[in-house]
Amino acid sequence: MSGQEKAGAIQIVLGGDKGVTTLSQDTPNVSDAAEAGDEFGFSLAVYDANLDGCSDIAVGIPYEDVGTVPDAGLVHLVYGSTAGIGQGTPSLGFRQGSDGNMANTAEAEDWVGYSVAGGLSPTSLPFLVIGTPGEDSSGFADMGFAAYAYGVIPSVSTFHQDSPGVWGDAAQGNRFGSAIAATNRHFVVGAPGAPIGAIDQAGAVLGFKPSVTTDGIPLPLFGIGQDATGTGDQVAEAGDGFGTSVTMAPYRPSVSTTTTDSLVAVGVPNEDVGAKADAGGVQLLQISEAGVVTEPQWITQDAADVEETAEGDDYFGQRLAAVNTNQGVPSTATTMRLAVGVPGEETSAGVQDSGGVQILPMLGSAGASDSWLQPGGGIPSAPASRQYAGMSVAAAGSSLYVGMPYGPASGRAVYAYSWTVASGGAPSQTWKPGEGGIPAEAAAFGAVVR
């Protein structure tokens, strides 16, 4: 924007055939200004922050300079209105050491807003969780922390692995806040650099409830890592990165009359599968209404009847998206669906890192109703090296969205699919730069989709 390289922008496709609008730091009512390398839109969360019935957008800008501090990071909460996004109340900024809304002092490469997730608590309290994985805290470099903004006029607290009741040990390089996901019942925070015992960067995920304790932080529920407080018989190994990605969806058990639980998927893209280094895996978790966590399933591409086969450097689980397509009925394998990005997949000989997306049930056997999309096989782009299909996936209602920001220009687009699409099935809708009101110069279009 404003001629600034990698300043970042969001293309919002409006419902009801109302066209496309562009949101950036050049938009009226959005404070600050577009600058080179900011990457406005690196992360996104959509929720109703002021309870006016209009969707609002929290935009992560982790590479924003705060004053003279490079890459300290910033999150803009841009309000929607009946007149459109950003057309009413000025945006609210969350940054460290400014406006009194976040604790601590802005430091280089804190990356405020590297991840964000928002929603409404069971008591209809709006909340936003902001990941800051580069924060130095408690004397440890890159330990990471998260901010919790709650209420229509947000109160903000910060928490990390040295906060009261939070699982695990404060340690250098934990990168707490690298990934965040939320439902209205629970939220989880990934710390992919956390050690498990003496095993460095094995990774961990921590669970919380969107309610505030007497210590002023979200209610801690659990912490989990391979070989630590669960994850079955999976072995923690150095560099696994358990918690590199997380996603979750509301879950209604068959014995319940309402949606009380959450199903979580945890990406472990650097997991070795047998002798296949960095093939990747995904751990499924269930969080009960009371906050108890259990482990329904461990999934790799070598699981029974799953399409495709685990290979070295596939990075299965690098990105994830989950959905409950019908919260009004008890959840089933048909309604609880998971998309797993596999950006290192080779779709044919000599075509490295073309990538793909595996769609799986979150209940029952992973291979019972899975499907596979890849460039040239469901994704309408010829296979090419370094397309990294699966680096951008998102769930929204009845659709799975797959962004293709890399590779040949002719294939750069965002595609929508039914969650029950068969392997190689066609998208139901396509958005491309230069079409339907989307600017032709939209670089890296679809790098993040929501």
Side-chain angles (χ1 to χ4, degrees):
M1 301 305 295
S2 301
Q4 302 290 323
E5 185 177 5
K6 293 187 177 180
I10 301 169
Q11 307 297 334
I12 302 172
V13 181
L14 303 173
D17 295 322
K18 294 180 180 178
V20 176
T21 187
T22 299
L23 181 65
S24 74
Q25 287 181 283
D26 285 342
T27 300
N29 289 322
V30 177
S31 60
D32 299 282
E35 300 166 315
D38 279 351
E39 298 198 32
F40 179 92
F42 184 90
S43 62
L44 296 172
V46 179
Y47 71 115
D48 187 358
N50 56 1
L51 302 182
D52 66 351
C54 297
S55 294
D56 308 307
I57 301 178
V59 184
I61 321 166
Y63 303 111
E64 172 86 15
D65 298 347
V66 174
T68 60
V69 182
D71 299 342
L74 166 67
V75 170
H76 270 306
L77 179 55
V78 185
Y79 293 99
S81 70
T82 54
I85 190 75
Q87 300 302 307
T89 305
S91 69
L92 178 62
F94 297 94
R95 73 196 94 194
Q96 296 185 87
S98 177
D99 305 324
N101 56 27
M102 281 185 69
N104 302 336
T105 301
E107 300 165 317
E109 299 179 356
D110 276 348
W111 300 340
V112 171
Y114 191 88
S115 58
V116 291
L120 296 178
S121 74
T123 57
S124 297
L125 182 77
F127 69 89
L128 176 68
V129 191
I130 300 170
T132 307
E135 172 75 14
D136 299 345
S137 187
S138 302
F140 298 105
D142 298 333
M143 189 184 85
F145 85 146
Y148 184 62
Y150 54 98
V152 172
I153 300 175
S155 297
V156 183
S157 61
T158 57
F159 62 102
H160 46 61
Q161 286 180 278
D162 206 21
S163 297
V166 176
W167 180 86
D169 296 322
Q172 179 171 315
N174 279 5
R175 297 288 188 187
F176 180 85
S178 292
I180 299 172
T183 67
N184 67 343
R185 296 279 178 173
H186 314 96
F187 69 86
V188 293
V189 180
I196 298 298
I199 303 170
D200 191 38
Q201 298 185 55
V205 166
L206 292 85
F208 301 84
K209 271 195 174 183
S211 58
V212 179
T213 70
T214 55
D215 294 305
I217 67 170
L219 177 64
L221 294 178
F222 65 86
I224 195 166
Q226 293 172 304
D227 284 350
T229 317
T231 57
D233 59 358
Q234 300 308 314
V235 177
E237 299 166 314
D240 274 352
F242 183 90
T244 295
S245 58
V246 290
T247 187
M248 60 197 305
Y251 171 52
R252 178 178 167 183
S254 59
V255 296
S256 178
T257 58
T258 60
T259 302
T260 56
D261 294 13
S262 300
L263 286 188
V264 182
V266 180
V268 197
N270 296 102
E271 175 80 17
D272 297 347
V273 177
K276 304 165 185 176
D278 298 334
V282 173
Q283 178 70 55
L284 297 187
L285 308 173
Q286 179 181 340
I287 310 175
S288 73
E289 184 175 19
V292 176
V293 62
T294 54
E295 306 155 40
Q297 192 170 183
W298 167 254
I299 304 172
T300 72
Q301 285 183 296
D302 278 354
D305 299 321
V306 168
E307 293 204 35
E308 299 302 305
T309 302
E311 300 164 316
D313 299 326
D314 273 354
Y315 303 108
F316 178 86
Q318 186 72 43
R319 294 288 187 272
L320 301 168
V323 71
N324 182 343
T325 59
N326 189 348
Q327 296 184 44
V329 301
S331 300
T332 67
T334 302
T335 63
M336 301 294 304
R337 306 295 289 177
L338 172 68
V340 180
V342 195
E345 182 82 21
E346 295 185 14
T347 56
S348 59
V351 183
Q352 294 186 339
D353 301 328
S354 181
V357 177
Q358 195 104 40
I359 306 171
L360 304 152
M362 296 187 81
L363 297 172
S365 171
S369 58
D370 70 314
S371 55
W372 173 252
L373 303 173
Q374 66 183 38
I379 298 177
S381 174
S385 295
R386 292 177 292 281
Q387 284 174 297
Y388 305 117
M391 281 296 288
S392 177
V393 292
S398 60
S399 294
L400 162 66
Y401 296 96
V402 176
M404 290 289 292
Y406 312 116
S410 60
R412 295 178 189 174
V414 172
Y415 302 102
Y417 296 88
S418 163
W419 280 96
T420 56
V421 65
S423 294
S428 57
Q429 199 166 359
T430 299
W431 298 271
K432 282 190 171 186
E435 298 179 4
I438 298 170
E441 67 274 12
F445 178 76
V448 179
V449 288
R450 289 292 182 273

